[in-house]
């Protein structure tokens, strides 16, 4: 096995172990989104997706 792949996998595994407790804390203590928050998120995403579809159809 290549040492670079082994080292990369080890670093990635250590990073996940170190970051998991902080990510868990952030998820439990973050405020929940309301309907207005989701709408403000979905409208720009839908517009971008529609623009991409329009560009694909023009080719």
């Amino acid at each position: 096995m290549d040492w670079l792949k082994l080292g990369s996998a080890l670093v990635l595994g250590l990073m996940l172990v170190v970051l998991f407790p902080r990510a868990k804390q952030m998820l439990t203590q973050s405020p929940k989104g309301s309907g207005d928050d989701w709408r403000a998120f979905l409208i720009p995403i839908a517009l971008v997706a529609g623009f991409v579809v329009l560009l694909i159809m023009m080719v």
Side-chain angles (χ1 to χ4, degrees):
M1 181 173 240
D2 188 27
W3 288 105
L4 185 61
K5 290 180 184 178
L6 185 61
S8 298
L10 186 63
V11 168
L12 182 62
L14 285 172
M15 187 175 68
L16 288 175
V17 168
V18 170
L19 292 179
F20 181 74
R22 179 68 179 135
K24 186 176 177 185
Q25 178 187 10
M26 286 171 47
L27 287 175
T28 57
Q29 294 181 359
S30 65
K32 301 300 177 212
S34 66
D36 291 335
D37 294 333
W38 283 107
R39 194 173 304 115
F41 168 74
L42 290 176
I43 290 174
I45 296 295
L47 290 174
V48 169
F51 183 68
V52 170
V53 168
L54 179 68
L55 288 176
I56 291 172
M57 290 175 54
M58 293 176 80
V59 172

